[in-house]
Amino acid sequence: MSPTEVLRSAAAADSTAPAATGTMASALRRLADSGRLELPAPGSGHTIDRWRTLADFTFGNVVVGRMVEAHADAAAILAELGGGAVERGQIWGVWAAEPPKPVLQARFGPGGWTLDGRKPWCSGATICTHALVTARAGEERRLFAVDLGQPSVRPVPGTWHAVGMRESDSGAVDFHAAAAEPIGGPGAYLARPGFWHGAMGVAACWYGGASAVARTLHDRATDEHALAHLGAVMSGLQAAALCLTEAAHQTDADPTDRSETARLRARTVRAVVEDAATATLDRVGRALGAAPLCADADHAQRVADLTVYLRQSHAEQDLAQLGRDYAEREYSWLPNR
């Protein structure tokens, strides 16, 4: 698949953006009920189709794309770790952020596993029906499936004040002896090859969101100044699309990561796409000035949403890890081969 096909596919999604009417929750429920959230698994031979769909959704609405990516990631995790299948109509999140505090505790008792404490950064806190949640069981990190309909699971009001990604409803959630089902063994969430495959799905969403921001410039570029910015933006997005396309082929060729290159591949792809998306935001603003940010509500919200979403990257911290990965390997002018 060529990068121009990726971009055309993303553009086609705009006219049917699922969040165009109604609330985010109702939009996602319609998608869940329709089966449109059922995507090919990463490494299944159709990884580029999975990422194209994620880019499509994010092109139409950045928050929808982010929520669909999490749901699709949850389905892939459950399949990889033997946790069963996501049922049609359900909306899943993946709540795996683990700052030093607060700490969500998992305990095993006569009735099985339960979770106690507060979990921050829970995207779709009042939207999702289920979530995969990481928690500490002693010194070990474990993953659990949780039905969010339990009265012992309570989103915490007033913990999400974002302007960008406002509709993702990513506040904190309190758990009070909430029943939970363990998925995989201790440490399995991070140790599986699919962790890095999933990390590239986020990059596909960044690409879709940046492509939508770029269209505003594409539609308004007339003078040499704006056209120069458009040329720079599109060359960066084409490079990102090529990187995603090649990574999809490599993932399908080695889904279980026998070559032990998935981590390096994922970190490289995320760095390339983040650079292209960041440059797009910067150049579109410099080319068009404040006008679309002040007079075009859709563009302004898209820019705000993508700006926050890109901070799911850890910037120089991620680049340092990527540099370390490359430094530990024999140098080659084809570093991913």
Side-chain angles (χ1 to χ4, degrees), residues 268-309:
T268 301
V269 166
R270 285 169 65 99
V272 169
V273 177
E274 182 187 355
D275 278 350
T278 300
T280 297
L281 290 168
D282 180 50
R283 285 187 175 275
V284 171
R286 287 160 57 191
L288 300 179
L293 291 171
C294 299
D296 184 338
D298 289 340
H299 176 77
Q301 190 62 58
R302 188 176 293 119
V303 167
D305 289 342
L306 182 60
T307 299
V308 173
Y309 194 9

mmCIF file of all heavy atoms in Angstrom, residues 268-309:
data_model
loop_
_atom_site.group_PDB
_atom_site.id
_atom_site.type_symbol
_atom_site.label_atom_id
_atom_site.label_comp_id
_atom_site.label_asym_id
_atom_site.label_seq_id
_atom_site.Cartn_x
_atom_site.Cartn_y
_atom_site.Cartn_z
ATOM 1 N N THR A 268 11.090 3.635 16.624
ATOM 2 C CA THR A 268 11.477 4.391 15.433
ATOM 3 C C THR A 268 10.252 4.959 14.733
ATOM 4 O O THR A 268 10.217 6.153 14.372
ATOM 5 C CB THR A 268 12.273 3.496 14.470
ATOM 6 O OG1 THR A 268 13.439 2.994 15.129
ATOM 7 C CG2 THR A 268 12.696 4.277 13.234
ATOM 8 N N VAL A 269 9.237 4.130 14.532
ATOM 9 C CA VAL A 269 8.018 4.577 13.862
ATOM 10 C C VAL A 269 7.371 5.716 14.636
ATOM 11 O O VAL A 269 6.955 6.733 14.056
ATOM 12 C CB VAL A 269 7.035 3.401 13.690
ATOM 13 C CG1 VAL A 269 5.642 3.894 13.310
ATOM 14 C CG2 VAL A 269 7.554 2.431 12.642
ATOM 15 N N ARG A 270 7.267 5.571 15.937
ATOM 16 C CA ARG A 270 6.638 6.618 16.735
ATOM 17 C C ARG A 270 7.425 7.929 16.640
ATOM 18 O O ARG A 270 6.840 9.018 16.563
ATOM 19 C CB ARG A 270 6.505 6.158 18.189
ATOM 20 C CG ARG A 270 5.392 5.140 18.383
ATOM 21 C CD ARG A 270 5.453 4.495 19.760
ATOM 22 N NE ARG A 270 5.210 5.424 20.848
ATOM 23 C CZ ARG A 270 4.045 5.570 21.478
ATOM 24 N NH1 ARG A 270 2.993 4.847 21.103
ATOM 25 N NH2 ARG A 270 3.918 6.411 22.484
ATOM 26 N N ALA A 271 8.760 7.847 16.628
ATOM 27 C CA ALA A 271 9.571 9.057 16.521
ATOM 28 C C ALA A 271 9.369 9.731 15.168
ATOM 29 O O ALA A 271 9.230 10.963 15.085
ATOM 30 C CB ALA A 271 11.046 8.727 16.739
ATOM 31 N N VAL A 272 9.344 8.951 14.108
ATOM 32 C CA VAL A 272 9.174 9.510 12.764
ATOM 33 C C VAL A 272 7.800 10.169 12.623
ATOM 34 O O VAL A 272 7.675 11.298 12.131
ATOM 35 C CB VAL A 272 9.359 8.409 11.700
ATOM 36 C CG1 VAL A 272 8.914 8.904 10.320
ATOM 37 C CG2 VAL A 272 10.812 7.946 11.652
ATOM 38 N N VAL A 273 6.756 9.469 13.067
ATOM 39 C CA VAL A 273 5.399 10.008 12.920
ATOM 40 C C VAL A 273 5.200 11.211 13.842
ATOM 41 O O VAL A 273 4.577 12.210 13.448
ATOM 42 C CB VAL A 273 4.346 8.924 13.185
ATOM 43 C CG1 VAL A 273 2.936 9.512 13.091
ATOM 44 C CG2 VAL A 273 4.500 7.779 12.192
ATOM 45 N N GLU A 274 5.741 11.151 15.041
ATOM 46 C CA GLU A 274 5.612 12.302 15.943
ATOM 47 C C GLU A 274 6.276 13.536 15.343
ATOM 48 O O GLU A 274 5.728 14.646 15.408
ATOM 49 C CB GLU A 274 6.228 11.996 17.305
ATOM 50 C CG GLU A 274 6.067 13.144 18.294
ATOM 51 C CD GLU A 274 6.809 12.941 19.602
ATOM 52 O OE1 GLU A 274 7.386 11.858 19.809
ATOM 53 O OE2 GLU A 274 6.816 13.889 20.414
ATOM 54 N N ASP A 275 7.451 13.369 14.754
ATOM 55 C CA ASP A 275 8.127 14.503 14.115
ATOM 56 C C ASP A 275 7.263 15.090 12.998
ATOM 57 O O ASP A 275 7.130 16.320 12.879
ATOM 58 C CB ASP A 275 9.476 14.054 13.538
ATOM 59 C CG ASP A 275 10.578 14.018 14.583
ATOM 60 O OD1 ASP A 275 10.354 14.513 15.705
ATOM 61 O OD2 ASP A 275 11.670 13.496 14.277
ATOM 62 N N ALA A 276 6.690 14.212 12.170
ATOM 63 C CA ALA A 276 5.861 14.694 11.061
ATOM 64 C C ALA A 276 4.622 15.410 11.569
ATOM 65 O O ALA A 276 4.225 16.458 11.039
ATOM 66 C CB ALA A 276 5.469 13.522 10.156
ATOM 67 N N ALA A 277 3.997 14.862 12.604
ATOM 68 C CA ALA A 277 2.782 15.476 13.157
ATOM 69 C C ALA A 277 3.097 16.805 13.828
ATOM 70 O O ALA A 277 2.351 17.789 13.679
ATOM 71 C CB ALA A 277 2.128 14.521 14.151
ATOM 72 N N THR A 278 4.196 16.868 14.569
ATOM 73 C CA THR A 278 4.589 18.111 15.235
ATOM 74 C C THR A 278 4.913 19.195 14.213
ATOM 75 O O THR A 278 4.511 20.360 14.359
ATOM 76 C CB THR A 278 5.798 17.862 16.148
ATOM 77 O OG1 THR A 278 5.450 16.879 17.139
ATOM 78 C CG2 THR A 278 6.227 19.133 16.857
ATOM 79 N N ALA A 279 5.635 18.812 13.157
ATOM 80 C CA ALA A 279 5.950 19.771 12.101
ATOM 81 C C ALA A 279 4.688 20.249 11.400
ATOM 82 O O ALA A 279 4.584 21.425 11.018
ATOM 83 C CB ALA A 279 6.909 19.135 11.090
ATOM 84 N N THR A 280 3.718 19.349 11.225
ATOM 85 C CA THR A 280 2.454 19.735 10.594
ATOM 86 C C THR A 280 1.737 20.792 11.416
ATOM 87 O O THR A 280 1.287 21.828 10.893
ATOM 88 C CB THR A 280 1.553 18.503 10.411
ATOM 89 O OG1 THR A 280 2.193 17.577 9.525
ATOM 90 C CG2 THR A 280 0.195 18.893 9.844
ATOM 91 N N LEU A 281 1.607 20.553 12.720
ATOM 92 C CA LEU A 281 0.955 21.538 13.584
ATOM 93 C C LEU A 281 1.666 22.891 13.512
ATOM 94 O O LEU A 281 1.026 23.944 13.415
ATOM 95 C CB LEU A 281 0.941 21.025 15.025
ATOM 96 C CG LEU A 281 0.018 19.845 15.335
ATOM 97 C CD1 LEU A 281 0.337 19.265 16.715
ATOM 98 C CD2 LEU A 281 -1.448 20.278 15.262
ATOM 99 N N ASP A 282 2.983 22.857 13.554
ATOM 100 C CA ASP A 282 3.759 24.101 13.550
ATOM 101 C C ASP A 282 3.631 24.828 12.216
ATOM 102 O O ASP A 282 3.335 26.030 12.172
ATOM 103 C CB ASP A 282 5.226 23.778 13.846
ATOM 104 C CG ASP A 282 6.101 25.019 13.857
ATOM 105 O OD1 ASP A 282 5.742 25.995 14.542
ATOM 106 O OD2 ASP A 282 7.145 25.014 13.175
ATOM 107 N N ARG A 283 3.807 24.123 11.118
ATOM 108 C CA ARG A 283 3.820 24.765 9.805
ATOM 109 C C ARG A 283 2.439 25.250 9.380
ATOM 110 O O ARG A 283 2.317 26.303 8.745
ATOM 111 C CB ARG A 283 4.417 23.822 8.764
ATOM 112 C CG ARG A 283 5.940 23.688 8.871
ATOM 113 C CD ARG A 283 6.506 22.884 7.732
ATOM 114 N NE ARG A 283 7.955 22.849 7.757
ATOM 115 C CZ ARG A 283 8.756 23.774 7.227
ATOM 116 N NH1 ARG A 283 8.222 24.833 6.618
ATOM 117 N NH2 ARG A 283 10.072 23.663 7.280
ATOM 118 N N VAL A 284 1.404 24.513 9.695
ATOM 119 C CA VAL A 284 0.055 24.964 9.359
ATOM 120 C C VAL A 284 -0.243 26.272 10.094
ATOM 121 O O VAL A 284 -0.808 27.214 9.521
ATOM 122 C CB VAL A 284 -0.997 23.888 9.680
ATOM 123 C CG1 VAL A 284 -2.410 24.444 9.539
ATOM 124 C CG2 VAL A 284 -0.814 22.692 8.758
ATOM 125 N N GLY A 285 0.151 26.354 11.356
ATOM 126 C CA GLY A 285 -0.047 27.595 12.113
ATOM 127 C C GLY A 285 0.751 28.748 11.547
ATOM 128 O O GLY A 285 0.244 29.872 11.424
ATOM 129 N N ARG A 286 1.997 28.505 11.171
ATOM 130 C CA ARG A 286 2.838 29.561 10.620
ATOM 131 C C ARG A 286 2.350 30.006 9.241
ATOM 132 O O ARG A 286 2.435 31.186 8.886
ATOM 133 C CB ARG A 286 4.286 29.086 10.540
ATOM 134 C CG ARG A 286 4.967 29.009 11.900
ATOM 135 C CD ARG A 286 6.181 28.103 11.886
ATOM 136 N NE ARG A 286 7.170 28.506 10.902
ATOM 137 C CZ ARG A 286 8.217 27.757 10.561
ATOM 138 N NH1 ARG A 286 8.374 26.565 11.134
ATOM 139 N NH2 ARG A 286 9.080 28.192 9.667
ATOM 140 N N ALA A 287 1.819 29.073 8.470
ATOM 141 C CA ALA A 287 1.363 29.408 7.120
ATOM 142 C C ALA A 287 0.054 30.184 7.129
ATOM 143 O O ALA A 287 -0.133 31.119 6.348
ATOM 144 C CB ALA A 287 1.198 28.133 6.295
ATOM 145 N N LEU A 288 -0.863 29.820 8.008
ATOM 146 C CA LEU A 288 -2.221 30.379 7.972
ATOM 147 C C LEU A 288 -2.500 31.385 9.076
ATOM 148 O O LEU A 288 -3.546 32.054 9.057
ATOM 149 C CB LEU A 288 -3.247 29.242 8.049
ATOM 150 C CG LEU A 288 -3.177 28.207 6.921
ATOM 151 C CD1 LEU A 288 -4.236 27.129 7.126
ATOM 152 C CD2 LEU A 288 -3.332 28.874 5.548
ATOM 153 N N GLY A 289 -1.610 31.484 10.049
ATOM 154 C CA GLY A 289 -1.834 32.420 11.137
ATOM 155 C C GLY A 289 -2.944 31.965 12.069
ATOM 156 O O GLY A 289 -3.316 30.793 12.116
ATOM 157 N N ALA A 290 -3.509 32.917 12.790
ATOM 158 C CA ALA A 290 -4.501 32.593 13.817
ATOM 159 C C ALA A 290 -5.902 32.381 13.256
ATOM 160 O O ALA A 290 -6.777 31.845 13.962
ATOM 161 C CB ALA A 290 -4.546 33.705 14.860
ATOM 162 N N ALA A 291 -6.130 32.773 12.005
ATOM 163 C CA ALA A 291 -7.501 32.768 11.472
ATOM 164 C C ALA A 291 -8.216 31.419 11.631
ATOM 165 O O ALA A 291 -9.314 31.368 12.209
ATOM 166 C CB ALA A 291 -7.505 33.224 10.015
ATOM 167 N N PRO A 292 -7.668 30.295 11.143
ATOM 168 C CA PRO A 292 -8.422 29.043 11.291
ATOM 169 C C PRO A 292 -8.531 28.581 12.740
ATOM 170 O O PRO A 292 -9.497 27.896 13.099
ATOM 171 C CB PRO A 292 -7.621 28.040 10.452
ATOM 172 C CG PRO A 292 -6.258 28.612 10.354
ATOM 173 C CD PRO A 292 -6.435 30.100 10.368
ATOM 174 N N LEU A 293 -7.587 28.955 13.576
ATOM 175 C CA LEU A 293 -7.668 28.589 14.989
ATOM 176 C C LEU A 293 -8.773 29.360 15.703
ATOM 177 O O LEU A 293 -9.305 28.895 16.719
ATOM 178 C CB LEU A 293 -6.334 28.859 15.688
ATOM 179 C CG LEU A 293 -5.168 27.945 15.282
ATOM 180 C CD1 LEU A 293 -3.875 28.457 15.889
ATOM 181 C CD2 LEU A 293 -5.428 26.500 15.711
ATOM 182 N N CYS A 294 -9.133 30.537 15.171
ATOM 183 C CA CYS A 294 -10.139 31.374 15.813
ATOM 184 C C CYS A 294 -11.502 31.305 15.133
ATOM 185 O O CYS A 294 -12.534 31.537 15.787
ATOM 186 C CB CYS A 294 -9.672 32.828 15.827
ATOM 187 S SG CYS A 294 -8.136 33.084 16.736
ATOM 188 N N ALA A 295 -11.525 30.988 13.842
ATOM 189 C CA ALA A 295 -12.784 31.047 13.092
ATOM 190 C C ALA A 295 -13.276 29.696 12.592
ATOM 191 O O ALA A 295 -14.403 29.599 12.101
ATOM 192 C CB ALA A 295 -12.618 31.991 11.894
ATOM 193 N N ASP A 296 -12.456 28.663 12.695
ATOM 194 C CA ASP A 296 -12.830 27.326 12.227
ATOM 195 C C ASP A 296 -12.835 26.398 13.445
ATOM 196 O O ASP A 296 -11.798 25.913 13.878
ATOM 197 C CB ASP A 296 -11.833 26.841 11.176
ATOM 198 C CG ASP A 296 -12.193 25.488 10.569
ATOM 199 O OD1 ASP A 296 -12.940 24.719 11.205
ATOM 200 O OD2 ASP A 296 -11.698 25.195 9.461
ATOM 201 N N ALA A 297 -14.022 26.164 13.991
ATOM 202 C CA ALA A 297 -14.126 25.402 15.245
ATOM 203 C C ALA A 297 -13.589 23.984 15.107
ATOM 204 O O ALA A 297 -12.929 23.468 16.025
ATOM 205 C CB ALA A 297 -15.582 25.365 15.710
ATOM 206 N N ASP A 298 -13.860 23.327 13.989
ATOM 207 C CA ASP A 298 -13.390 21.955 13.807
ATOM 208 C C ASP A 298 -11.868 21.899 13.768
ATOM 209 O O ASP A 298 -11.248 21.031 14.396
ATOM 210 C CB ASP A 298 -13.964 21.360 12.512
ATOM 211 C CG ASP A 298 -15.451 21.075 12.612
ATOM 212 O OD1 ASP A 298 -15.962 20.971 13.745
ATOM 213 O OD2 ASP A 298 -16.099 20.954 11.553
ATOM 214 N N HIS A 299 -11.267 22.821 13.024
ATOM 215 C CA HIS A 299 -9.804 22.858 12.945
ATOM 216 C C HIS A 299 -9.191 23.171 14.311
ATOM 217 O O HIS A 299 -8.228 22.514 14.733
ATOM 218 C CB HIS A 299 -9.364 23.899 11.922
ATOM 219 C CG HIS A 299 -7.877 24.080 11.847
ATOM 220 N ND1 HIS A 299 -7.051 23.186 11.201
ATOM 221 C CD2 HIS A 299 -7.060 25.048 12.369
ATOM 222 C CE1 HIS A 299 -5.795 23.593 11.314
ATOM 223 N NE2 HIS A 299 -5.770 24.717 12.011
ATOM 224 N N ALA A 300 -9.757 24.140 15.010
ATOM 225 C CA ALA A 300 -9.220 24.509 16.319
ATOM 226 C C ALA A 300 -9.275 23.345 17.290
ATOM 227 O O ALA A 300 -8.311 23.080 18.031
ATOM 228 C CB ALA A 300 -9.995 25.703 16.875
ATOM 229 N N GLN A 301 -10.397 22.613 17.288
ATOM 230 C CA GLN A 301 -10.509 21.471 18.196
ATOM 231 C C GLN A 301 -9.547 20.354 17.793
ATOM 232 O O GLN A 301 -8.932 19.704 18.643
ATOM 233 C CB GLN A 301 -11.943 20.936 18.199
ATOM 234 C CG GLN A 301 -12.209 19.894 19.291
ATOM 235 C CD GLN A 301 -12.024 20.461 20.687
ATOM 236 O OE1 GLN A 301 -12.672 21.433 21.059
ATOM 237 N NE2 GLN A 301 -11.131 19.865 21.472
ATOM 238 N N ARG A 302 -9.402 20.149 16.491
ATOM 239 C CA ARG A 302 -8.502 19.099 16.004
ATOM 240 C C ARG A 302 -7.064 19.397 16.410
ATOM 241 O O ARG A 302 -6.332 18.500 16.852
ATOM 242 C CB ARG A 302 -8.627 18.999 14.480
ATOM 243 C CG ARG A 302 -7.906 17.838 13.855
ATOM 244 C CD ARG A 302 -8.174 17.794 12.357
ATOM 245 N NE ARG A 302 -9.581 17.482 12.086
ATOM 246 C CZ ARG A 302 -10.413 18.284 11.429
ATOM 247 N NH1 ARG A 302 -9.998 19.471 10.999
ATOM 248 N NH2 ARG A 302 -11.659 17.912 11.222
ATOM 249 N N VAL A 303 -6.643 20.662 16.276
ATOM 250 C CA VAL A 303 -5.287 21.048 16.669
ATOM 251 C C VAL A 303 -5.092 20.850 18.169
ATOM 252 O O VAL A 303 -4.077 20.308 18.614
ATOM 253 C CB VAL A 303 -5.009 22.506 16.262
ATOM 254 C CG1 VAL A 303 -3.729 23.025 16.930
ATOM 255 C CG2 VAL A 303 -4.892 22.615 14.752
ATOM 256 N N ALA A 304 -6.068 21.264 18.955
ATOM 257 C CA ALA A 304 -5.964 21.102 20.411
ATOM 258 C C ALA A 304 -5.917 19.627 20.791
ATOM 259 O O ALA A 304 -5.113 19.209 21.637
ATOM 260 C CB ALA A 304 -7.151 21.785 21.092
ATOM 261 N N ASP A 305 -6.775 18.816 20.171
ATOM 262 C CA ASP A 305 -6.811 17.387 20.482
ATOM 263 C C ASP A 305 -5.495 16.705 20.120
ATOM 264 O O ASP A 305 -4.930 15.941 20.913
ATOM 265 C CB ASP A 305 -7.962 16.707 19.729
ATOM 266 C CG ASP A 305 -9.331 17.081 20.258
ATOM 267 O OD1 ASP A 305 -9.423 17.581 21.397
ATOM 268 O OD2 ASP A 305 -10.323 16.868 19.530
ATOM 269 N N LEU A 306 -4.995 16.973 18.911
ATOM 270 C CA LEU A 306 -3.770 16.307 18.472
ATOM 271 C C LEU A 306 -2.578 16.748 19.305
ATOM 272 O O LEU A 306 -1.689 15.937 19.611
ATOM 273 C CB LEU A 306 -3.521 16.599 16.988
ATOM 274 C CG LEU A 306 -2.299 15.917 16.371
ATOM 275 C CD1 LEU A 306 -2.405 14.398 16.475
ATOM 276 C CD2 LEU A 306 -2.115 16.343 14.915
ATOM 277 N N THR A 307 -2.548 18.014 19.704
ATOM 278 C CA THR A 307 -1.446 18.499 20.539
ATOM 279 C C THR A 307 -1.358 17.717 21.837
ATOM 280 O O THR A 307 -0.268 17.312 22.273
ATOM 281 C CB THR A 307 -1.627 19.997 20.831
ATOM 282 O OG1 THR A 307 -1.622 20.725 19.587
ATOM 283 C CG2 THR A 307 -0.511 20.524 21.723
ATOM 284 N N VAL A 308 -2.495 17.470 22.469
ATOM 285 C CA VAL A 308 -2.506 16.690 23.708
ATOM 286 C C VAL A 308 -2.196 15.225 23.426
ATOM 287 O O VAL A 308 -1.417 14.579 24.149
ATOM 288 C CB VAL A 308 -3.864 16.837 24.422
ATOM 289 C CG1 VAL A 308 -3.947 15.898 25.622
ATOM 290 C CG2 VAL A 308 -4.069 18.274 24.873
ATOM 291 N N TYR A 309 -2.781 14.672 22.377
ATOM 292 C CA TYR A 309 -2.585 13.255 22.052
ATOM 293 C C TYR A 309 -1.116 12.946 21.802
ATOM 294 O O TYR A 309 -0.608 11.893 22.218
ATOM 295 C CB TYR A 309 -3.432 12.906 20.833
ATOM 296 C CG TYR A 309 -3.623 11.433 20.559
ATOM 297 C CD1 TYR A 309 -3.236 10.436 21.454
ATOM 298 C CD2 TYR A 309 -4.215 11.021 19.365
ATOM 299 C CE1 TYR A 309 -3.437 9.105 21.184
ATOM 300 C CE2 TYR A 309 -4.419 9.685 19.074
ATOM 301 C CZ TYR A 309 -4.024 8.732 19.983
ATOM 302 O OH TYR A 309 -4.222 7.399 19.702
#
